[in-house]
């Protein structure tokens, strides 16, 4: 059954995100040799990056070493490397280090990167929030502005402390909610001599409501809670350009800020383009009903990097996890010469976004909604459950309890050199 | 009583280490305005830096935000800045940001920095272990060498994975013990295809025994335990020079290693030289029996930066803490026009060094010794107690429990850019 006759079936997985990990784990009892390739030596729990950016969690809490995940799974090898080329004809993946990797099955799960949509200045002056390094850079940048203003209080009134977040989806909403809490509960006390009340957190969304993929009632809740807590929410106005110290809106308004975060959209990882197959408008790989790349047997794409033209799935963890497992099962059936399973069906488990202390919105597939403290508790519980590893779970639970009881955020050390320019957005 | 007649007595403290913090806290009920200046926005718990370097603890666990420490102490202002000049005649401290700080009392508690003793190559090719950034850089460097070797297994046999630690004092012993555990219990499992057994941890000490300030029996214990666990211990041989990939000993032997850590000695912070007063051989400020700078009323030096010529104190936390409190009391007595207290007396509480799992040495002033599991438990307990802040304590306790039960080390994420060159040692 294997292509070489003797050697074991080789599976290469690109990406150690939710999709890649789910696939590799689901292959644990199969007679395959898996190699998982990722540019980082750790899995990033992206849903909590905004908490790192707002000093609620340590960076180490939302990452988990990939080698640790597969320590007991003997059929997985890990390679920390960047993919440089994919040769579908020869079935080889090349990386920036090490020998090229030959595969019998390829699972592309490289995820998404931030998308500037060509808005001028975004790539040069705005931070993304897609990686742990992004989150640490945002935190560093915000805290450093406060420290600077402490010795130059006049600067604080010039908008040096302001944070503008472009994009009112879940990431933008969660970041805005976490940032205003950091300002009010922590930084206002840390910097008693600064007029932190003059520091603004602004959330800008081009369409006419926040959380556009949620029900309108959730959007209303999010906007009401954020506004009440002090975030200036601007909807229905786009971003015309980003300058080093301001965001210029399409209505001509200029929002002065030294910290600008771009969460307005994503596109597929550049790895998608290496396949040389048709891509969707967002650069995603077009897959068939079985998550396979049409005309390329043995090649699959799952998660944010993949799209079934007719039914684009939400770019969150669940479709990636379910897709990864589905593809692993498909490979296992193929090896056992069983007939292919039916097409991939995404089981929607609902959507959630937290807005801050005691406030979140949660929507379930049956149309029910939760908001307020109940939604918030559901959000907390679910994220603890899905976090990787006992130690991270315990650490996060401890930090959240601490933050909740004390209104404090301990993760605000300024280590390393500050990035002069924001993380480049590809 | 104050020098200005109306304004409150101004105390400037240089350094937010053990000495500076102890002084500022001991002044909490006094009618003074304290400004504490530190280059970092956090206090570093230096005794546990080696655990960060060996992936046992997260960086955030051993730092605590200075502003958080003084949130409820209204008479303390915090300035994150580097001291650039001290004018003892005009009683002014200048920093790289903000207006110069005038003082009535000055407490210099800037600590120590690594000392290369002029050994060629140390400053260019060796890491120090004096700051949190140092510790994170060592961790990053060690882990990155393993990741590199994973795609080039031949490199592993060339000594790329080797770690040479120069200096057999407590820091060197603790780092060597932690490093060999990281190698054996974690990296050997993470990198199953690498022959990690070929990776060496070498500890080099110029005098004829480790832990030279401890009793000979403790030195013997440390050497025996480290050797049994796989560290190569070399005593009685100095370091002639450090090259990019090797340490050359005075006996001509060349120890190949890509990671070289220099813990062989310290000298006073460069701040000492800004006072323009006589310094000791190690660059320390010579103080009188009351920790004052002779002939400079109102100027004190505590901790690693200070030395009483006749009785140099060990450069650990306790003398700094006790010195800081003593000076705070001296300032308070002066303000109340009370007669000066007697000279500073250091109460020796003993010395400890951990060697690894179940192994540590502890010595008490009455001459008693503890080693093995009991010494190790004493070490654990004491370090938890002295850590700053409930959250850090709980996090450290959790990590240690996790590490102990699983033999794992979770804090091994490779974030940020790797430093091309080691941290420069002044």
């Amino acid at each position: 059954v294997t292509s070489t006759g003797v050697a074991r079936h080789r599976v290469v997985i690109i990406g150690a995100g939710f999709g890649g990990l789910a696939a590799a784990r689901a292959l644990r009892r199969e007679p395959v040799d898996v190699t998982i390739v990722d540019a980082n030596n750790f899995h990033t729990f992206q849903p909590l990056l905004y908490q790192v950016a707002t000093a609620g969690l340590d960076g180490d809490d939302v990452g988990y070493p990939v080698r640790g995940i597969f320590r007991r799974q003997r059929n997985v090898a890990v390679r920390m490397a960047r993919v440089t080329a994919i040769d579908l004809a020869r079935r080889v993946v090349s990386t920036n280090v090490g020998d090229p990797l030959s595969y019998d099955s390829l699972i592309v799960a490289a995820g998404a990167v931030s998308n500037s949509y060509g808005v001028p200045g975004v790539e040069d002056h705005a931070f993304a929030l897609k990686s742990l390094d992004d989150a640490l850079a945002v935190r560093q940048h915000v805290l450093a502005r406060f420290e600077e203003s402490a010795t130059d209080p006049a600067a604080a009134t010039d908008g040096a402390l302001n944070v503008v977040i472009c994009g009112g989806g879940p990431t933008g909403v969660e970041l805005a909610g976490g940032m205003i809490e950091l300002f009010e509960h922590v930084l206002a006390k840390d910097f008693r001599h600064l007029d932190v009340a003059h520091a603004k957190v602004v959330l800008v969304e081009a369409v006419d409501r926040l959380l556009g993929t949620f029900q309108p009632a959730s959007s209303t809740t999010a906007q009401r809670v954020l506004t009440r807590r002090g975030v200036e929410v601007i909807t229905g106005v786009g971003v015309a350009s980003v300058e080093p110290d301001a965001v210029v809106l399409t209505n001509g308004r200029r929002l002065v800020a030294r910290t600008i975060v771009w969460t307005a959209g994503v596109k597929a990882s550049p790895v998608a383009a290496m396949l040389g197959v048709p891509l969707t408008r967002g650069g995603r790989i077009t897959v068939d009903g079985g998550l396979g790349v049409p005309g390329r047997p043995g090649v699959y794409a799952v998660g944010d990097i993949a799209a079934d033209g007719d039914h684009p799935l939400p770019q969150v963890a669940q479709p990636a996890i379910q897709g990864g497992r589905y593809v692993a099962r498909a490979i296992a059936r193929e090896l056992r010469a069983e007939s292919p399973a039916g097409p991939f069906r995404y089981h929607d488990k609902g959507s959630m976004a937290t807005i801050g202390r005691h406030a979140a919105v949660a929507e379930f597939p049956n149309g029910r909604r939760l908001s307020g403290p109940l939604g918030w508790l559901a959000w907390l519980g679910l994220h603890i459950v899905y976090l990787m590893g006992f130690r991270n779970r315990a650490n996060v639970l401890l930090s959240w309890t601490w933050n909740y009881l004390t209104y404090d955020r301990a993760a605000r050390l300024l280590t390393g050199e500050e990035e002069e320019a924001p993380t480049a957005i590809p």
Side-chain angles (χ1 to χ4, degrees), chain A:
Chain A
V1 178
T2 65
S3 63
T4 58
V6 249
R8 299 225 298 182
H9 190 87
R10 294 158 304 179
V11 180
V12 169
I13 300 174
I14 301 175
F18 289 112
L21 290 190
R25 287 170 146 186
L27 289 166
R28 65 188 173 281
R29 296 204 184 82
E30 306 301 332
V32 295
D33 286 325
V34 177
T35 302
I36 189 159
V37 181
D38 198 286
N40 291 313
N41 76 335
F42 56 90
H43 164 72
T44 304
F45 193 78
Q46 289 191 346
L48 291 180
L49 284 179
Y50 84 93
Q51 292 232 350
V52 174
T54 55
L57 290 176
D58 299 340
D60 298 73
D61 291 341
V62 304
Y64 200 91
V66 180
R67 294 183 188 279
I69 296 169
F70 295 110
R71 179 175 288 186
R72 288 188 187 78
Q73 189 174 335
R74 292 277 163 166
N75 67 350
V76 173
V78 177
R79 176 179 291 195
M80 180 178 134
R82 290 177 195 285
V83 172
T84 52
I86 301 172
D87 186 333
L88 292 184
R90 291 177 48 231
R91 295 184 165 244
V92 167
V93 174
S94 301
T95 60
N96 64 331
V97 292
D99 298 328
L101 296 161
S102 295
Y103 64 82
D104 301 302
S105 299
L106 174 65
I107 305 174
V108 184
V113 296
S114 188
N115 189 352
S116 70
Y117 296 115
V119 173
V122 170
E123 295 178 16
D124 292 331
H125 309 304
F127 290 93
L129 194 61
K130 288 297 292 177
S131 71
L132 184 48
D133 280 331
D134 289 343
L136 293 169
V138 170
R139 177 179 93 180
Q140 175 101 347
H141 196 80
V142 171
L143 296 177
R145 297 293 79 69
F146 274 82
E147 290 291 349
E148 275 177 10
S149 297
T151 48
D152 182 12
T157 58
D158 288 350
L161 304 178
N162 293 358
V163 175
V164 173
I165 300 159
C166 307
T171 304
V173 165
E174 294 183 326
L175 183 63
M179 196 66 77
I180 199 77
E181 289 189 353
L182 175 67
F183 275 36
E184 298 219 330
H185 298 317
V186 181
L187 297 177
K189 290 173 190 158
D190 270 8
F191 297 87
R192 291 189 299 261
H193 306 291
L194 280 183
D195 191 359
V196 175
H198 269 114
K200 289 199 292 191
V201 176
V202 186
L203 178 62
V204 182
E205 167 56 47
V207 306
D208 61 356
R209 64 183 178 105
L210 301 178
L211 301 177
T213 59
F214 286 62
Q215 298 173 32
S218 296
S219 305
T220 308
T221 302
Q223 177 147 1
R224 190 185 64 235
V225 173
L226 285 177
T227 304
R228 195 169 56 207
R229 293 186 179 186
V231 175
E232 181 179 350
V233 179
I234 300 172
T235 56
V237 184
V239 173
S241 66
V242 175
E243 301 175 357
D245 56 357
V247 172
V248 180
L249 302 184
T250 49
N251 64 6
R253 191 172 159 201
R254 198 163 176 277
L255 303 168
V256 174
R258 294 280 298 281
T259 306
I260 300 159
V261 188
W262 184 263
T263 65
V266 294
K267 60 185 177 191
S269 155
V271 167
M274 295 180 191
L275 292 183
V277 299
L279 302 179
T280 68
R281 217 161 51 113
R284 300 211 249 176
I285 301 164
T286 308
V287 291
D288 58 30
L291 300 182
V293 176
R296 300 293 188 166
V299 181
Y300 306 88
V302 303
D304 292 358
I305 203 169
D308 175 346
D310 300 334
H311 307 286
L313 295 172
Q315 294 188 304
V316 293
Q318 274 301 324
I321 293 170
Q322 294 175 25
R325 288 183 189 146
Y326 172 89
V327 168
R329 281 194 300 270
I331 292 170
R333 291 178 78 95
E334 179 200 331
L335 288 177
R336 289 194 290 263
E338 293 174 11
S339 59
F344 172 64
R345 282 185 209 287
Y346 169 54
H347 295 281
D348 184 6
K349 296 191 174 180
S351 313
M352 296 183 133
T354 186
I355 312 168
R357 179 177 284 258
H358 299 173
V361 292
E363 297 182 358
F364 301 96
N366 61 8
R368 288 196 55 182
R369 288 182 64 241
L370 268 183
S371 65
L374 267 185
W376 183 68
L377 283 172
W379 183 93
L380 291 177
L382 210 73
H383 281 76
I384 287 282
V385 167
Y386 274 99
L387 253 186
M388 186 81 57
F390 167 79
R391 179 180 164 283
N392 282 19
R393 278 185 204 132
N395 264 330
V396 168
L397 199 57
L398 181 70
S399 290
W400 283 354
T401 308
W402 170 256
N403 297 348
Y404 180 76
L405 295 177
T406 64
Y407 287 82
D408 196 9
R409 305 282 180 91
R412 54 188 202 276
L413 314 188
L414 286 168
T415 53
E417 296 297 314
E418 197 190 353
E419 308 226 0
E420 281 307 313
T423 319
I425 297 173

